[in-house]
Amino acid sequence: MSKAYFGIEGLDRSLENGVSYGSQIAVVGDSGIGKTVMAGEFIKEGLRCGDTCIYVACDEPPTAMREHLQSFKVGTPAYEEMGRLIFIDAYEESGSTEKYVISDHRHLVKYYALEKEVLHSYAGHRVRLVADSLSTLLTMVDTAEILEFHRTRLKHLRKSGILTMDIFVSGVLDPQVMTITGHLYNLILKMSFSSSRYSPIRQLQIGKVKSQQFVSSRHIFTISPIYGILVYADMGVGE
Amino acid sequence: MKNSDFLMERICRIYLGMYKTIDQLPFSGHHWLEHFLLEVVQLTLDDHKDECKFKSKKPVDICRTYLDFLNKLYPRWVADYRLEKSNDDNLLFDIKRENCSYSNFCLQLQKEDLPLFCIQLGSIQTILKIVLNENYSHSVKIDETGICHGNVLPSTQPKEEIVTREGHTLKLAGRKAILFPQEMYASMLMSIREHAPHALKHVLFDAGYQSGLHTIRKTKALYDDVEECLRFLFDALTNSGFGRVELDYLDPTIAKARIRCHDSFQVAVTNEFGQLYRSRQVICDLLRGVFTAYLSVLLNQDIICEEISCQSVGGDYCEFLALPSLWEKGSEEGARG
């Protein structure tokens, strides 16, 4: 089975052999750090590689991602017409014109059912799934239910060979929940601002949780309106 | 066989040989024979400067002067022809095939089922080009009695895609051109991949888009019909070695097009010199940019074209799907959270 990449040179170089389909990736980051841009890069790469990409829009209407992709010259209308780019609207509860809409954001069961239904219709395809941001869907849910949802969902996604990217906004969920949840992901990308004398610097930590510790390498990155995320791989510092 | 008949037969054979090799000659374009005729007619005029004077600027008079001049040089070169102006300002030219010096050439084309090309009419459009500096084209039909009915009409289509050499300068469509082997092209790509891998696909798309804009702005004015214009441009791409580009589907009312490219040059380079990207993916961004530019200008709206299948990842051909863009310039919000 071929390996997947993000389409971000510095990040892909750090991963060396890429990630397997069926892997789960958590992207955790500060507000405004570029998590959605990261999601866009992941989708762009998937579309170029022939994958079917499913984007769950929780924080903004799906059109925001359409416009974002098109600003990078991605022909979303062509991919949507071919059924290779699918949007699930988890933002607008009513009045959405999308084909797939989550009508009640408070019930994880309903979300999970819709996600499974959509994935089922693309069985046999190589699929990338992005939930942006999953933490928004989990804010009103109690800890036990969140953990149960994660275990069940991620198990199903792994079994189905879905390459998943779940996005979490830093500070929204309880740190203990995030630590436990972190064990369930094959790869964690932490995006944060670090203070600098002159201006904030964007940092990316690439790693995974081992024995409740986040083991990662640290890199500086920037966001270009033309190229997207640029990770300075050679400036990585092991932690 | 008289000497003159033998020589005429040889001339027709030379024309036939040239006509049949047009498709095999790189960069010959569709108008190679016309370019050749241009030289022949010009040389004939230069050789007989004082014998052929064009007093009128009317196309029909220019053609009569020239044909009569030829008949004076060589009796019955183009005998008993009829030439007149039609209501729509075209020139109608009729001649019995047996009265035309090039009948042997013409008969051979028919025998080999090749598209008709009339050297006599080619000469007529050439003399108009020389005297009036205007492009003409022609069509011809031969009826069952063996009479050729020709139509010479003003042409807006460029006849200059042929590669020419002027001194040490190579020109394509009248512009300076460069011809280099795929090794040089591959080396440029590999250098970009080495020094700025993040920029590679953007560079290719943008290079295609900018060069496509230059071409389409020049070509659009020459065609009223979008499809005709696209087919001309795709022929030019094919002729230039990008691959066999063809328009599979076009609906201008919804601004949708599907384009195929067989044996893309880009794919051949990648197969031979190494993959451009870590993962197996579509790679023909240069063509994607070219098509995006062509369609955006021709359909007068922002079009975005995607390569949806590529020979580099196992497709039988590269396929591109173009649709209107939803994104309006200026709506970009920059980095998102």
Side-chain angles (χ1 to χ4, degrees):
Chain A
M1 184 77 172
S2 59
K3 293 295 180 84
Y5 290 91
F6 287 79
I8 301 167
E9 178 58 23
L11 172 55
D12 291 341
R13 202 186 303 172
S14 299
L15 295 172
E16 289 183 4
N17 296 317
V19 287
S20 306
Y21 285 87
S23 301
Q24 278 85 47
I25 302 153
V27 176
V28 186
D30 296 344
S31 196
I33 188 73
K35 298 182 297 299
T36 300
V37 184
M38 175 71 81
E41 300 286 294
F42 188 66
I43 290 171
K44 278 194 280 178
E45 171 78 0
L47 293 172
R48 289 181 66 92
C49 293
D51 296 357
T52 298
C53 297
I54 302 169
Y55 179 76
V56 186
C58 306
D59 299 347
E60 288 180 293
T63 294
M65 177 51 88
R66 285 191 182 96
E67 289 177 355
H68 173 73
L69 290 171
Q70 289 202 24
S71 73
F72 286 96
K73 315 264 174 38
V74 178
T76 56
Y79 287 120
E80 286 196 69
E81 180 164 308
M82 292 177 64
R84 296 238 337 261
L85 177 60
I86 298 101
F87 290 95
I88 298 177
D89 190 346
Y91 179 76
E92 303 275 8
E93 280 188 289
S94 59
S96 173
T97 54
E98 300 293 330
K99 184 179 176 187
Y100 300 110
V101 186
I102 294 165
S103 54
D104 187 348
H105 296 171
R106 287 161 299 181
H107 290 92
L108 288 180
V109 177
K110 286 185 180 174
Y111 169 76
Y112 184 42
L114 178 64
E115 189 182 89
K116 271 176 83 172
E117 180 198 321
V118 176
L119 288 171
H120 181 71
S121 54
Y122 294 96
H125 294 239
R126 222 169 49 182
V127 174
R128 291 183 184 214
L129 170 70
V130 178
D132 182 13
S133 59
L134 194 63
S135 52
T136 303
L137 286 181
L138 306 177
T139 45
M140 305 294 281
V141 185
D142 67 51
T143 304
E145 199 182 340
I146 291 173
L147 295 177
E148 181 55 29
F149 167 74
H150 272 313
R151 281 195 197 97
T152 314
R153 175 175 172 266
L154 293 179
K155 194 172 157 188
H156 172 256
L157 292 172
R158 185 169 295 138
K159 204 172 152 189
S160 309
I162 311 296
L163 181 57
T164 309
M165 176 185 276
D166 287 337
I167 292 176
F168 299 88
V169 181
S170 296
V172 169
L173 298 178
D174 180 69
Q176 198 180 354
V177 171
M178 284 305 295
T179 306
I180 298 168
T181 303
H183 281 94
L184 303 172
Y185 288 89
N186 305 89
L187 180 69
I188 298 175
L189 305 176
K190 276 194 181 173
M191 305 168 80
S192 57
F193 290 108
S194 76
S195 57
S196 150
R197 186 184 296 180
Y198 304 107
S199 61
I201 290 173
R202 286 182 160 94
Q203 281 192 129
L204 175 67
Q205 289 171 271
I206 306 166
K208 54 176 71 176
V209 174
K210 285 178 183 170
S211 307
Q212 301 203 10
Q213 293 292 313
F214 180 50
V215 182
S216 67
S217 59
R218 188 176 296 201
H219 308 265
I220 291 169
F221 75 97
T222 58
I223 298 176
S224 154
I226 296 167
Y227 305 122
I229 291 182
L230 297 171
V231 174
Y232 298 91
D234 296 336
M235 294 172 73
V237 180
E239 240 183 23
Chain B
M1 185 184 272
K2 287 192 295 189
N3 268 356
S4 56
D5 290 345
F6 173 77
L7 288 174
M8 201 59 233
E9 188 191 279
R10 289 293 90 201
I11 289 170
C12 284
R13 282 297 193 223
I14 290 168
Y15 273 116
L16 183 67
M18 288 167 60
Y19 187 78
K20 286 171 74 173
T21 53
I22 282 177
D23 285 343
Q24 296 160 31
L25 291 171
F27 314 118
S28 63
H30 292 136
H31 308 292
W32 188 56
L33 215 49
E34 292 175 32
H35 278 259
F36 180 79
L37 279 172
L38 188 67
E39 290 299 321
V40 172
V41 173
Q42 186 64 62
L43 284 171
T44 309
L45 292 177
D46 291 347
D47 290 344
H48 302 273
K49 273 178 194 156
D50 302 327
E51 298 163 59
C52 187
K53 299 282 185 195
F54 300 99
K55 290 172 185 163
S56 163
K57 291 288 180 191
K58 288 182 185 167
V60 70
D61 293 338
I62 292 166
C63 294
R64 278 209 188 100
T65 304
Y66 181 65
L67 293 172
D68 292 346
F69 155 70
L70 290 177
N71 279 332
K72 213 183 281 179
L73 282 181
Y74 191 101
R76 300 191 64 76
W77 179 262
V78 47
D80 303 329
Y81 67 88
R82 192 172 66 87
L83 180 69
E84 63 187 44
K85 195 176 85 170
S86 71
N87 293 335
D88 47 4
D89 279 346
N90 294 346
L91 295 179
L92 302 176
F93 175 86
D94 292 346
I95 190 170
K96 259 191 174 179
R97 181 150 63 183
E98 63 194 42
N99 288 342
C100 175
S101 320
Y102 300 110
S103 58
N104 185 304
F105 167 79
C106 183
L107 283 167
Q108 200 61 34
L109 290 188
Q110 278 196 311
K111 196 173 160 188
E112 296 190 27
D113 208 20
L114 293 167
L116 274 183
F117 178 86
C118 178
I119 298 172
Q120 214 63 269
L121 291 171
S123 302
I124 288 175
Q125 71 184 49
T126 301
I127 197 68
L128 292 170
K129 169 76 179 172
I130 290 172
V131 178
L132 300 174
N133 196 26
E134 285 173 15
N135 281 328
Y136 281 78
S137 59
H138 74 263
S139 62
V140 63
K141 280 181 188 163
I142 304 169
D143 69 21
E144 62 278 4
T145 64
I147 295 177
C148 305
H149 302 281
N151 188 12
V152 181
L153 60 158
S155 170
T156 53
Q157 294 186 8
K159 291 174 184 280
E160 54 179 14
E161 80 264 33
I162 189 170
V163 172
T164 52
R165 189 187 297 279
E166 291 172 21
H168 62 275
T169 306
L170 201 63
K171 287 194 170 178
L172 172 62
R175 304 271 298 161
K176 273 191 179 181
I178 181 170
L179 177 66
F180 53 71
Q182 64 175 7
E183 282 77 6
M184 184 176 280
Y185 179 75
S187 302
M188 287 197 289
L189 291 192
M190 296 309 158
S191 295
I192 300 172
R193 189 185 68 173
E194 180 66 25
H195 298 290
H198 61 279
L200 185 53
K201 45 183 170 273
H202 304 278
V203 167
L204 287 170
F205 177 86
D206 212 41
Y209 184 78
Q210 296 301 337
S211 64
L213 274 185
H214 173 82
T215 308
I216 187 61
R217 282 177 183 151
K218 189 179 166 192
T219 315
K220 189 189 177 189
L222 305 172
Y223 291 88
D224 294 328
D225 184 69
V226 172
E227 186 168 338
E228 195 188 350
C229 188
L230 275 178
R231 290 194 191 283
F232 168 79
L233 290 165
F234 291 171
D235 278 353
L237 286 174
T238 302
N239 223 17
S240 303
F242 281 87
R244 181 160 62 83
V245 183
E246 60 186 26
L247 182 64
D248 180 51
Y249 169 89
L250 174 71
D251 185 345
T253 60
I254 53 169
K256 180 178 174 182
R258 194 165 46 235
I259 301 155
R260 287 179 180 168
C261 179
H262 300 260
D263 304 322
S264 158
F265 170 70
Q266 181 74 70
V267 173
V269 167
T270 306
N271 287 344
E272 193 170 337
F273 293 89
Q275 296 300 315
L276 296 177
Y277 307 104
R278 285 172 195 278
S279 46
R280 277 165 57 83
Q281 58 182 265
V282 297
I283 55 166
C284 302
D285 291 288
L286 189 78
L287 280 175
R288 190 169 83 83
V290 170
F291 300 149
T292 299
Y294 285 177
L295 289 161
S296 294
V297 172
L298 281 174
L299 300 173
N300 203 27
Q301 59 181 297
D302 278 344
I303 299 292
I304 191 145
C305 182
E306 273 300 334
E307 187 180 17
I308 54 176
S309 168
C310 185
Q311 259 180 302
S312 72
V313 285
D316 292 332
Y317 42 77
C318 301
E319 190 166 34
F320 301 83
L321 180 60
L323 285 164
S325 167
L326 303 171
W327 183 67
E328 288 175 20
K329 288 184 181 75
S331 69
E332 189 185 354
E333 290 165 20
R336 309 183 91 91

